[in-house]
Amino acid sequence: MNQALNYAPSAEEPTAVSAKSFQITAHKVEYLSSLTALRGIAALLVAVFHFEMAVARFVPAAQSMFFEKCYLMVDLFFIMSGFIMMHVYSREFKQKIQPDTLKKFLVARFARVYPLHIFSLLLLVVIVRWLTDWGNPPIILEQPADILPNIFLLHSFGLTHIYSWNIPSWSISAEFAAYLLFPVIALFINKKRALAVLVFTVLIVTAYYSIMYLLPRVNPINPAIPVPHNLNTTFDYGYIRGIAGFTTGVLVYLVYESRAIRKAFSSDTASLLIIAGIILSLHFALNDGITVFLFAILVLSFTANTGKIADFCKGKFMQFLGNISYSVYLMQIFLQEPFSHGAYLPGTTGIGRGKQNIDFSLGLMYCIVYLILLILISYVTYRWVEGPSRRFINRIWGK
């Protein structure tokens, strides 16, 4: 979520993965099981991306850029988030923004993203500053001055000089900024749909183009190295990236509302062609704008699919992965942390973040073990941190 990728959590999950609908607003909402599964897949790809960056690279960029470009999974998360917010909450802001409705929405979103964020951040601070000698002296990614911007979800607004502490969490900052704008976005669409679509389309294209070609981005580790024309901005302009992706998801939902379009994208063939396009785009490192466009179509096709892909996504294991995906995203830092402080796996060559290389077969074995450990840790935090905290906050303040 960075070299660090982002995560955009969905709305609250239903109590049973087989549920056809669930209720967290004044009206029942259809449960989009395919997006739950897609979140799980994307979260694991983010984890592999960070394994290659922080631990050991086992797929050389010269052979394939697939994992190298998986920082773009953050944009898929943002798109899914905007789509789901429209699906769940758009009716709540149909005529005007009621204070009580706004409060319930913001409390629900805070309860969804903040508890695990603050838990993982403070746990990391305790480990680095008190339980180990890693913070003496602090490395550039773990400066004490950067703790407060992380606490207040301001670390995607250029207030720090580099992605810091729980690195992927910059995207939670960007995500929450999008949440704050969502009631206005939804109201504008509900009141003036045609104009809103035009305005938001122009703003999205402008935002993405600006990130890639106009904004004064600087390599935070070595300013002498030019920043490539891509969307991989995090601590500096991450909020722009997040809001652009989120709003893209909002517009995708408007397309999804057309029954004819849903029918056109309902086949497995459509979804498989889009998946193939994304794999090729990542493998050959095509322009990031192309991949983001394909992500938008992927979200549309997965939610519209009525074939084998939909059945696969409804499987218990895929739903499990989707449910723990936020924990996968934020807890991966703890498996990477030792390697930020000098640890190396047997068989690696090279020194420095993103420069450690390893044989494919050995690296793949390490990566599988890493993913298994991450899934186990994520289940624990999902069960004992995420869920209880969300329910407690909504019960106390979400009334």
PDB file of all heavy atoms in Angstrom, residues 51-52 56-60 63 345-349 356-367:
ATOM      1  N   PHE A  51       6.338  -8.556   0.292  1.00  0.00           N
ATOM      2  CA  PHE A  51       7.358  -9.575   0.523  1.00  0.00           C
ATOM      3  C   PHE A  51       8.539  -9.325  -0.407  1.00  0.00           C
ATOM      4  O   PHE A  51       9.696  -9.374   0.016  1.00  0.00           O
ATOM      5  CB  PHE A  51       6.767 -10.968   0.283  1.00  0.00           C
ATOM      6  CG  PHE A  51       7.755 -12.086   0.437  1.00  0.00           C
ATOM      7  CD1 PHE A  51       7.954 -12.682   1.668  1.00  0.00           C
ATOM      8  CD2 PHE A  51       8.493 -12.554  -0.655  1.00  0.00           C
ATOM      9  CE1 PHE A  51       8.876 -13.717   1.826  1.00  0.00           C
ATOM     10  CE2 PHE A  51       9.416 -13.583  -0.514  1.00  0.00           C
ATOM     11  CZ  PHE A  51       9.606 -14.167   0.726  1.00  0.00           C
ATOM     12  N   GLU A  52       8.244  -9.052  -1.653  1.00  0.00           N
ATOM     13  CA  GLU A  52       9.325  -8.794  -2.614  1.00  0.00           C
ATOM     14  C   GLU A  52      10.070  -7.498  -2.302  1.00  0.00           C
ATOM     15  O   GLU A  52      11.276  -7.399  -2.530  1.00  0.00           O
ATOM     16  CB  GLU A  52       8.765  -8.743  -4.035  1.00  0.00           C
ATOM     17  CG  GLU A  52       8.347 -10.099  -4.577  1.00  0.00           C
ATOM     18  CD  GLU A  52       8.738 -10.277  -6.028  1.00  0.00           C
ATOM     19  OE1 GLU A  52       8.605  -9.309  -6.790  1.00  0.00           O
ATOM     20  OE2 GLU A  52       9.201 -11.376  -6.400  1.00  0.00           O
ATOM     21  N   ALA A  56      12.451 -10.470   0.086  1.00  0.00           N
ATOM     22  CA  ALA A  56      13.292 -11.008  -0.990  1.00  0.00           C
ATOM     23  C   ALA A  56      12.500 -11.046  -2.288  1.00  0.00           C
ATOM     24  O   ALA A  56      11.349 -11.501  -2.309  1.00  0.00           O
ATOM     25  CB  ALA A  56      13.801 -12.398  -0.637  1.00  0.00           C
ATOM     26  N   ARG A  57      13.131 -10.615  -3.353  1.00  0.00           N
ATOM     27  CA  ARG A  57      12.495 -10.625  -4.666  1.00  0.00           C
ATOM     28  C   ARG A  57      12.791 -11.961  -5.353  1.00  0.00           C
ATOM     29  O   ARG A  57      13.944 -12.293  -5.605  1.00  0.00           O
ATOM     30  CB  ARG A  57      13.043  -9.471  -5.517  1.00  0.00           C
ATOM     31  CG  ARG A  57      12.304  -9.262  -6.832  1.00  0.00           C
ATOM     32  CD  ARG A  57      13.035  -8.248  -7.682  1.00  0.00           C
ATOM     33  NE  ARG A  57      13.209  -6.987  -6.982  1.00  0.00           N
ATOM     34  CZ  ARG A  57      12.293  -6.017  -6.954  1.00  0.00           C
ATOM     35  NH1 ARG A  57      11.137  -6.180  -7.576  1.00  0.00           N
ATOM     36  NH2 ARG A  57      12.537  -4.893  -6.306  1.00  0.00           N
ATOM     37  N   PHE A  58      11.745 -12.738  -5.635  1.00  0.00           N
ATOM     38  CA  PHE A  58      11.946 -14.037  -6.269  1.00  0.00           C
ATOM     39  C   PHE A  58      11.466 -14.084  -7.713  1.00  0.00           C
ATOM     40  O   PHE A  58      11.632 -15.084  -8.404  1.00  0.00           O
ATOM     41  CB  PHE A  58      11.300 -15.164  -5.442  1.00  0.00           C
ATOM     42  CG  PHE A  58       9.805 -15.061  -5.298  1.00  0.00           C
ATOM     43  CD1 PHE A  58       8.961 -15.759  -6.131  1.00  0.00           C
ATOM     44  CD2 PHE A  58       9.244 -14.288  -4.285  1.00  0.00           C
ATOM     45  CE1 PHE A  58       7.586 -15.687  -5.997  1.00  0.00           C
ATOM     46  CE2 PHE A  58       7.872 -14.202  -4.125  1.00  0.00           C
ATOM     47  CZ  PHE A  58       7.041 -14.905  -4.985  1.00  0.00           C
ATOM     48  N   VAL A  59      10.844 -12.993  -8.194  1.00  0.00           N
ATOM     49  CA  VAL A  59      10.482 -12.866  -9.606  1.00  0.00           C
ATOM     50  C   VAL A  59      11.167 -11.615 -10.140  1.00  0.00           C
ATOM     51  O   VAL A  59      10.701 -10.495  -9.897  1.00  0.00           O
ATOM     52  CB  VAL A  59       8.956 -12.767  -9.808  1.00  0.00           C
ATOM     53  CG1 VAL A  59       8.627 -12.613 -11.294  1.00  0.00           C
ATOM     54  CG2 VAL A  59       8.255 -13.982  -9.232  1.00  0.00           C
ATOM     55  N   PRO A  60      12.289 -11.752 -10.849  1.00  0.00           N
ATOM     56  CA  PRO A  60      13.016 -10.582 -11.346  1.00  0.00           C
ATOM     57  C   PRO A  60      12.150  -9.727 -12.266  1.00  0.00           C
ATOM     58  O   PRO A  60      11.358 -10.251 -13.069  1.00  0.00           O
ATOM     59  CB  PRO A  60      14.190 -11.196 -12.116  1.00  0.00           C
ATOM     60  CG  PRO A  60      14.346 -12.569 -11.555  1.00  0.00           C
ATOM     61  CD  PRO A  60      12.957 -13.013 -11.182  1.00  0.00           C
ATOM     62  N   GLN A  63      12.018 -10.445 -15.928  1.00  0.00           N
ATOM     63  CA  GLN A  63      11.199 -11.558 -16.401  1.00  0.00           C
ATOM     64  C   GLN A  63       9.719 -11.209 -16.416  1.00  0.00           C
ATOM     65  O   GLN A  63       8.983 -11.609 -17.317  1.00  0.00           O
ATOM     66  CB  GLN A  63      11.437 -12.787 -15.529  1.00  0.00           C
ATOM     67  CG  GLN A  63      12.839 -13.360 -15.632  1.00  0.00           C
ATOM     68  CD  GLN A  63      13.017 -14.594 -14.767  1.00  0.00           C
ATOM     69  OE1 GLN A  63      12.061 -15.112 -14.191  1.00  0.00           O
ATOM     70  NE2 GLN A  63      14.252 -15.069 -14.659  1.00  0.00           N
ATOM     71  N   LEU A 345      16.911 -13.648   4.891  1.00  0.00           N
ATOM     72  CA  LEU A 345      16.608 -15.068   4.750  1.00  0.00           C
ATOM     73  C   LEU A 345      17.807 -15.783   4.144  1.00  0.00           C
ATOM     74  O   LEU A 345      18.499 -15.218   3.291  1.00  0.00           O
ATOM     75  CB  LEU A 345      15.388 -15.264   3.850  1.00  0.00           C
ATOM     76  CG  LEU A 345      14.027 -14.862   4.414  1.00  0.00           C
ATOM     77  CD1 LEU A 345      12.955 -15.004   3.344  1.00  0.00           C
ATOM     78  CD2 LEU A 345      13.672 -15.719   5.632  1.00  0.00           C
ATOM     79  N   PRO A 346      18.063 -17.012   4.558  1.00  0.00           N
ATOM     80  CA  PRO A 346      19.144 -17.784   3.923  1.00  0.00           C
ATOM     81  C   PRO A 346      18.917 -17.898   2.419  1.00  0.00           C
ATOM     82  O   PRO A 346      17.805 -18.192   1.969  1.00  0.00           O
ATOM     83  CB  PRO A 346      19.031 -19.159   4.604  1.00  0.00           C
ATOM     84  CG  PRO A 346      18.359 -18.888   5.910  1.00  0.00           C
ATOM     85  CD  PRO A 346      17.405 -17.762   5.648  1.00  0.00           C
ATOM     86  N   GLY A 347      19.943 -17.635   1.659  1.00  0.00           N
ATOM     87  CA  GLY A 347      19.848 -17.739   0.211  1.00  0.00           C
ATOM     88  C   GLY A 347      19.648 -16.431  -0.507  1.00  0.00           C
ATOM     89  O   GLY A 347      19.656 -16.386  -1.741  1.00  0.00           O
ATOM     90  N   THR A 348      19.450 -15.324   0.241  1.00  0.00           N
ATOM     91  CA  THR A 348      19.258 -14.029  -0.405  1.00  0.00           C
ATOM     92  C   THR A 348      20.597 -13.387  -0.723  1.00  0.00           C
ATOM     93  O   THR A 348      21.590 -13.589  -0.031  1.00  0.00           O
ATOM     94  CB  THR A 348      18.444 -13.076   0.490  1.00  0.00           C
ATOM     95  OG1 THR A 348      19.097 -12.942   1.761  1.00  0.00           O
ATOM     96  CG2 THR A 348      17.039 -13.583   0.686  1.00  0.00           C
ATOM     97  N   THR A 349      20.595 -12.590  -1.782  1.00  0.00           N
ATOM     98  CA  THR A 349      21.758 -11.784  -2.146  1.00  0.00           C
ATOM     99  C   THR A 349      21.324 -10.345  -2.319  1.00  0.00           C
ATOM    100  O   THR A 349      20.176 -10.068  -2.648  1.00  0.00           O
ATOM    101  CB  THR A 349      22.393 -12.280  -3.455  1.00  0.00           C
ATOM    102  OG1 THR A 349      21.416 -12.192  -4.517  1.00  0.00           O
ATOM    103  CG2 THR A 349      22.866 -13.711  -3.326  1.00  0.00           C
ATOM    104  N   GLN A 356      17.037  -7.142  -2.282  1.00  0.00           N
ATOM    105  CA  GLN A 356      17.396  -8.509  -1.910  1.00  0.00           C
ATOM    106  C   GLN A 356      16.776  -9.466  -2.929  1.00  0.00           C
ATOM    107  O   GLN A 356      15.569  -9.409  -3.171  1.00  0.00           O
ATOM    108  CB  GLN A 356      16.883  -8.849  -0.510  1.00  0.00           C
ATOM    109  CG  GLN A 356      17.329  -7.872   0.567  1.00  0.00           C
ATOM    110  CD  GLN A 356      16.246  -6.878   0.912  1.00  0.00           C
ATOM    111  OE1 GLN A 356      15.573  -6.339   0.038  1.00  0.00           O
ATOM    112  NE2 GLN A 356      16.064  -6.633   2.190  1.00  0.00           N
ATOM    113  N   ASN A 357      17.588 -10.331  -3.495  1.00  0.00           N
ATOM    114  CA  ASN A 357      17.114 -11.283  -4.501  1.00  0.00           C
ATOM    115  C   ASN A 357      17.311 -12.701  -4.012  1.00  0.00           C
ATOM    116  O   ASN A 357      18.187 -12.975  -3.184  1.00  0.00           O
ATOM    117  CB  ASN A 357      17.872 -11.064  -5.814  1.00  0.00           C
ATOM    118  CG  ASN A 357      17.640  -9.680  -6.383  1.00  0.00           C
ATOM    119  OD1 ASN A 357      16.524  -9.305  -6.722  1.00  0.00           O
ATOM    120  ND2 ASN A 357      18.703  -8.905  -6.492  1.00  0.00           N
ATOM    121  N   ILE A 358      16.483 -13.593  -4.541  1.00  0.00           N
ATOM    122  CA  ILE A 358      16.548 -14.984  -4.115  1.00  0.00           C
ATOM    123  C   ILE A 358      16.082 -15.877  -5.260  1.00  0.00           C
ATOM    124  O   ILE A 358      15.289 -15.438  -6.124  1.00  0.00           O
ATOM    125  CB  ILE A 358      15.678 -15.213  -2.853  1.00  0.00           C
ATOM    126  CG1 ILE A 358      16.025 -16.522  -2.171  1.00  0.00           C
ATOM    127  CG2 ILE A 358      14.203 -15.137  -3.179  1.00  0.00           C
ATOM    128  CD1 ILE A 358      15.428 -16.663  -0.774  1.00  0.00           C
ATOM    129  N   ASP A 359      16.561 -17.097  -5.306  1.00  0.00           N
ATOM    130  CA  ASP A 359      16.143 -18.066  -6.312  1.00  0.00           C
ATOM    131  C   ASP A 359      14.625 -18.258  -6.267  1.00  0.00           C
ATOM    132  O   ASP A 359      14.015 -18.246  -5.192  1.00  0.00           O
ATOM    133  CB  ASP A 359      16.851 -19.396  -6.053  1.00  0.00           C
ATOM    134  CG  ASP A 359      16.383 -20.490  -6.992  1.00  0.00           C
ATOM    135  OD1 ASP A 359      16.753 -20.452  -8.166  1.00  0.00           O
ATOM    136  OD2 ASP A 359      15.618 -21.370  -6.522  1.00  0.00           O
ATOM    137  N   PHE A 360      14.008 -18.456  -7.428  1.00  0.00           N
ATOM    138  CA  PHE A 360      12.551 -18.514  -7.510  1.00  0.00           C
ATOM    139  C   PHE A 360      11.954 -19.591  -6.609  1.00  0.00           C
ATOM    140  O   PHE A 360      11.039 -19.317  -5.830  1.00  0.00           O
ATOM    141  CB  PHE A 360      12.103 -18.753  -8.955  1.00  0.00           C
ATOM    142  CG  PHE A 360      10.626 -18.958  -9.087  1.00  0.00           C
ATOM    143  CD1 PHE A 360       9.747 -17.889  -9.047  1.00  0.00           C
ATOM    144  CD2 PHE A 360      10.090 -20.238  -9.218  1.00  0.00           C
ATOM    145  CE1 PHE A 360       8.379 -18.064  -9.147  1.00  0.00           C
ATOM    146  CE2 PHE A 360       8.725 -20.435  -9.316  1.00  0.00           C
ATOM    147  CZ  PHE A 360       7.867 -19.342  -9.285  1.00  0.00           C
ATOM    148  N   SER A 361      12.449 -20.817  -6.707  1.00  0.00           N
ATOM    149  CA  SER A 361      11.838 -21.915  -5.947  1.00  0.00           C
ATOM    150  C   SER A 361      11.976 -21.706  -4.448  1.00  0.00           C
ATOM    151  O   SER A 361      11.015 -21.915  -3.681  1.00  0.00           O
ATOM    152  CB  SER A 361      12.461 -23.252  -6.355  1.00  0.00           C
ATOM    153  OG  SER A 361      13.863 -23.232  -6.171  1.00  0.00           O
ATOM    154  N   LEU A 362      13.147 -21.262  -4.003  1.00  0.00           N
ATOM    155  CA  LEU A 362      13.348 -21.014  -2.575  1.00  0.00           C
ATOM    156  C   LEU A 362      12.510 -19.827  -2.117  1.00  0.00           C
ATOM    157  O   LEU A 362      11.876 -19.861  -1.052  1.00  0.00           O
ATOM    158  CB  LEU A 362      14.830 -20.765  -2.303  1.00  0.00           C
ATOM    159  CG  LEU A 362      15.252 -20.632  -0.836  1.00  0.00           C
ATOM    160  CD1 LEU A 362      14.861 -21.870  -0.048  1.00  0.00           C
ATOM    161  CD2 LEU A 362      16.752 -20.353  -0.729  1.00  0.00           C
ATOM    162  N   GLY A 363      12.484 -18.768  -2.933  1.00  0.00           N
ATOM    163  CA  GLY A 363      11.690 -17.599  -2.589  1.00  0.00           C
ATOM    164  C   GLY A 363      10.208 -17.900  -2.546  1.00  0.00           C
ATOM    165  O   GLY A 363       9.484 -17.404  -1.675  1.00  0.00           O
ATOM    166  N   LEU A 364       9.742 -18.727  -3.468  1.00  0.00           N
ATOM    167  CA  LEU A 364       8.328 -19.106  -3.478  1.00  0.00           C
ATOM    168  C   LEU A 364       7.974 -19.872  -2.209  1.00  0.00           C
ATOM    169  O   LEU A 364       6.914 -19.641  -1.614  1.00  0.00           O
ATOM    170  CB  LEU A 364       8.030 -19.954  -4.713  1.00  0.00           C
ATOM    171  CG  LEU A 364       6.588 -20.448  -4.857  1.00  0.00           C
ATOM    172  CD1 LEU A 364       5.622 -19.286  -4.967  1.00  0.00           C
ATOM    173  CD2 LEU A 364       6.459 -21.373  -6.071  1.00  0.00           C
ATOM    174  N   MET A 365       8.868 -20.768  -1.782  1.00  0.00           N
ATOM    175  CA  MET A 365       8.616 -21.521  -0.555  1.00  0.00           C
ATOM    176  C   MET A 365       8.529 -20.577   0.642  1.00  0.00           C
ATOM    177  O   MET A 365       7.606 -20.685   1.469  1.00  0.00           O
ATOM    178  CB  MET A 365       9.734 -22.544  -0.336  1.00  0.00           C
ATOM    179  CG  MET A 365       9.536 -23.400   0.921  1.00  0.00           C
ATOM    180  SD  MET A 365      10.975 -24.400   1.317  1.00  0.00           S
ATOM    181  CE  MET A 365      12.124 -23.129   1.898  1.00  0.00           C
ATOM    182  N   TYR A 366       9.483 -19.648   0.756  1.00  0.00           N
ATOM    183  CA  TYR A 366       9.443 -18.669   1.841  1.00  0.00           C
ATOM    184  C   TYR A 366       8.152 -17.850   1.792  1.00  0.00           C
ATOM    185  O   TYR A 366       7.531 -17.581   2.822  1.00  0.00           O
ATOM    186  CB  TYR A 366      10.638 -17.722   1.747  1.00  0.00           C
ATOM    187  CG  TYR A 366      11.957 -18.298   2.177  1.00  0.00           C
ATOM    188  CD1 TYR A 366      13.131 -17.959   1.497  1.00  0.00           C
ATOM    189  CD2 TYR A 366      12.058 -19.161   3.263  1.00  0.00           C
ATOM    190  CE1 TYR A 366      14.366 -18.466   1.887  1.00  0.00           C
ATOM    191  CE2 TYR A 366      13.283 -19.670   3.669  1.00  0.00           C
ATOM    192  CZ  TYR A 366      14.429 -19.323   2.976  1.00  0.00           C
ATOM    193  OH  TYR A 366      15.641 -19.831   3.373  1.00  0.00           O
ATOM    194  N   CYS A 367       7.770 -17.457   0.597  1.00  0.00           N
ATOM    195  CA  CYS A 367       6.583 -16.598   0.449  1.00  0.00           C
ATOM    196  C   CYS A 367       5.316 -17.337   0.861  1.00  0.00           C
ATOM    197  O   CYS A 367       4.429 -16.759   1.488  1.00  0.00           O
ATOM    198  CB  CYS A 367       6.473 -16.118  -1.002  1.00  0.00           C
ATOM    199  SG  CYS A 367       5.197 -14.876  -1.252  1.00  0.00           S
TER     200      CYS A 367
END
